[in-house]
Amino acid sequence: YPFVCRFAVVLHSRNMVNKGFSALQANNNKQTYFIVDEEMSEETSFKYELDMIEVINDALVQDGVIPFYQGIFDNKTKKIDKYEALMRIVDKDGRIYLPDDFIDIAKKYHMYLELTERMIDKVLNDFDSLDKMVSINLSAYDISSDLLRKSLIEKVKGYSNPSNLVFEIL
């Protein structure tokens, strides 16, 4: 049976559950994801969204999609034996943004898959000549895209050591 998931993230409220349920019931435009923040006016929220769209666009144009690599420590060998690639974007002033800052807006304005594509390209390029394992996070949103799946398959086919790639489904 088909179903629809809708999510409300409630910030700065003492009664988060009731605020979340109220917001979901009052959500007339049927967005699948939205933020309820009592400290942020609708005007402030809209301005933040517009500013973040500009940051995302600049990151795409200025090569500002950056993988941060987190070492994964093996308790048996006492060494870092794998890496996890984490997406960040950087703005024209050098400020680094975490996914919580931009992912939802990127998805809403159809910029997210391009960010993911750039991230994958950079990680594969960085690790292609290394004999190290690297993990790339993919969301259900990513793997539901036919275009991204096809592109990923082609990239993995051309990768020198595909057994060193791990795709972590979030």
Side-chain angles (χ1 to χ4, degrees):
Y1 294 98
F3 61 92
V4 176
C5 293
R6 293 183 24 208
F7 303 92
V9 176
V10 180
L11 305 171
H12 305 109
S13 176
R14 288 180 178 258
N15 195 342
M16 293 169 55
V17 173
N18 285 342
K19 286 285 183 189
F21 282 129
S22 295
L24 286 168
Q25 290 170 348
N27 182 16
N28 293 330
N29 62 3
K30 304 300 182 213
Q31 290 174 268
T32 57
Y33 181 90
F34 55 96
I35 297 173
V36 178
D37 187 347
E38 291 181 352
E39 292 181 5
M40 186 183 290
S41 70
E42 192 171 311
E43 183 179 320
T44 304
S45 178
F46 183 67
K47 180 176 178 350
Y48 176 79
E49 203 169 271
L50 288 176
D51 290 344
M52 190 51 61
I53 290 168
E54 185 176 339
V55 168
I56 296 165
N57 190 56
D58 285 348
L60 289 168
V61 171
Q62 303 296 329
D63 196 33
V65 179
I66 303 170
F68 275 40
Y69 298 108
Q70 175 176 290
I72 300 173
F73 188 78
D74 185 321
N75 286 330
K76 290 180 184 177
T77 64
K78 305 293 184 209
K79 294 180 183 176
I80 293 175
D81 67 346
K82 301 175 195 166
Y83 294 86
E84 179 179 18
L86 305 169
M87 184 191 303
R88 303 292 185 260
I89 60 173
V90 63
D91 68 13
K92 57 188 170 202
D93 298 322
R95 178 176 174 202
I96 296 171
Y97 292 85
L98 300 173
D100 284 350
D101 297 325
F102 63 87
I103 292 283
D104 295 323
I105 293 169
K107 286 178 181 176
K108 182 176 179 180
Y109 290 94
H110 309 287
M111 303 166 94
Y112 174 75
L113 291 174
E114 180 67 25
L115 290 172
T116 300
E117 192 79 46
R118 300 278 179 93
M119 174 71 177
I120 291 168
D121 288 344
K122 286 191 173 191
V123 173
L124 295 181
N125 186 55
D126 288 349
F127 277 79
D128 195 34
S129 62
L130 303 175
D131 190 26
K132 302 276 183 193
M133 285 190 98
V134 65
S135 172
I136 301 172
N137 296 331
L138 297 174
S139 69
Y141 189 92
D142 294 319
I143 60 175
S144 68
S145 165
D146 289 337
L147 224 60
L148 186 69
R149 276 195 324 271
K150 289 175 185 174
S151 172
L152 187 58
I153 289 167
E154 289 305 310
K155 290 173 199 248
V156 170
K157 284 180 183 177
Y159 192 71
S160 63
N161 196 356
S163 63
N164 280 344
L165 297 175
V166 175
F167 293 99
E168 186 177 329
I169 309 301
L170 305 176

